[in-house]
Amino acid sequence: MRILIISDIHANFTALQAVLGASRSVDQIWCLGDVVGYGPDPNQCIECLREIPNLICLLGNHDAAVLGRIPLATFNKDARVSIQWTRTVLTPASQAWLATLPESWVNGSAFLAHGSPRNPIWEYLLDPNTAALCFEFFDNPFCFVGHTHLPIAFLYNGLDHPTRWLIPTPGQEFHPNNRVIINPGSVGQPRDRDPRAAFGIFNDTTNTWLPQRIEYDIMSVQQRIFDANLPQRHAVRLLEGW
Ligand code: ZN
């Protein structure tokens, strides 16, 4: 089965459309959370995801904050402004859908979480030492996480050896020969200085990961951010990928 894995859409409907348009032949779609926050299109993104058959979608920290489940004080000011704005525009149907999302999911050979298997909503997996501690919190060969907006793979090498990391090359199939935690990067707000939307295809038959990037119309999203009076920083960063 070929599974499109997306994460951190952050209410960027133009980026989401580009990714879905480039991935029409997949068998299933898994989304690792943060559907909303930062961006101008929360309802459009949710309405689009709700139409996808057999979608698995997790709850991210921004989604949880919009629902009032985690305190706003844990976010920086610009993120808080967007979360509060999202609350004012979200339709009851969108809010009800967000409220159904689970924090983690196990599906065959893969464990899914927004942040980490140890702390699904909050923990950022940014370095191999932190990632190494997380392998005991799931049993599957693969774990997929989002949250950092940085595409990366952490390769388990046993308890007595350091966990390695690498950045899989977009367009090149990656076949890990050990247990691995993979972050596909962010659809709607990449932070690795590559502004193209990030995603990937997991093949759970061949156990391979195909990372991908795609350009989208960033300026149209920036315009909607300005029109909604959301913080300008959220628009500027899209063009530079940070
Ligand atoms: Zn995020």
Side-chain angles (χ1 to χ4, degrees):
M1 192 163 74
R2 294 175 74 245
I3 302 145
L4 167 65
I5 302 190
I6 54 179
S7 191
D8 297 276
I9 298 164
H10 282 296
N12 183 336
F13 185 52
T14 310
L16 176 62
Q17 278 183 307
V19 169
L20 295 178
S23 320
R24 291 189 200 280
S25 63
V26 297
D27 302 299
Q28 202 175 5
I29 300 179
W30 298 349
C31 173
L32 307 176
D34 274 3
V35 175
V36 301
Y38 296 124
D41 316 312
N43 289 309
Q44 293 91 326
C45 290
I46 289 174
E47 283 158 19
C48 174
L49 292 178
R50 287 175 62 192
E51 297 293 313
I52 295 172
N54 303 320
L55 172 80
I56 292 172
C57 185
L58 303 183
L59 187 79
N61 57 314
H62 286 253
D63 308 317
V66 165
L67 293 170
R69 293 188 190 169
I70 54 180
L72 277 181
T74 54
F75 292 83
N76 69 47
K77 181 170 178 292
D78 286 340
R80 276 202 310 273
V81 168
S82 290
I83 289 165
Q84 285 169 317
W85 175 85
T86 303
R87 286 177 180 168
T88 66
V89 299
L90 213 57
T91 65
S94 293
Q95 188 172 350
W97 182 82
L98 272 188
T100 65
L101 304 183
E103 292 189 6
S104 61
W105 191 269
V106 183
N107 195 308
S109 56
F111 183 96
L112 316 180
H114 177 63
S116 84
R118 180 165 65 171
N119 187 339
I121 293 280
W122 277 116
E123 186 168 46
Y124 289 89
L125 291 189
L126 287 162
D127 67 89
N129 293 336
T130 310
L133 299 172
C134 287
F135 279 95
E136 64 177 285
F137 289 84
F138 65 101
D139 298 323
N140 317 71
F142 285 83
C143 170
F144 292 94
V145 299
H147 198 33
T148 65
H149 301 205
L150 300 168
I152 196 165
F154 296 105
L155 293 145
Y156 191 59
N157 207 13
L159 280 175
D160 300 327
H161 301 280
T163 289
R164 292 181 297 121
W165 65 276
L166 60 88
I167 299 173
T169 307
Q172 281 185 24
E173 207 161 61
F174 167 53
H175 194 313
N177 49 15
N178 221 331
R179 295 177 69 214
V180 64
I181 300 174
I182 293 176
N183 189 324
S186 168
V187 169
Q189 194 193 80
R191 293 181 187 164
D192 60 346
R193 295 282 169 184
D194 180 345
R196 297 176 298 167
F199 59 106
I201 310 283
F202 171 49
N203 187 322
D204 69 352
T205 308
T206 58
N207 286 330
T208 50
W209 171 244
L210 179 61
Q212 306 212 35
R213 303 301 282 252
I214 190 163
E215 290 182 2
Y216 67 95
D217 182 1
I218 291 173
M219 286 175 70
S220 71
V221 185
Q222 291 181 311
Q223 189 58 52
R224 294 198 298 281
I225 289 173
F226 296 137
D227 292 346
N229 281 323
L230 288 165
Q232 300 222 345
R233 184 170 184 264
H234 300 332
V236 173
R237 66 191 307 172
L238 292 182
L239 206 53
E240 297 170 4
W242 57 270

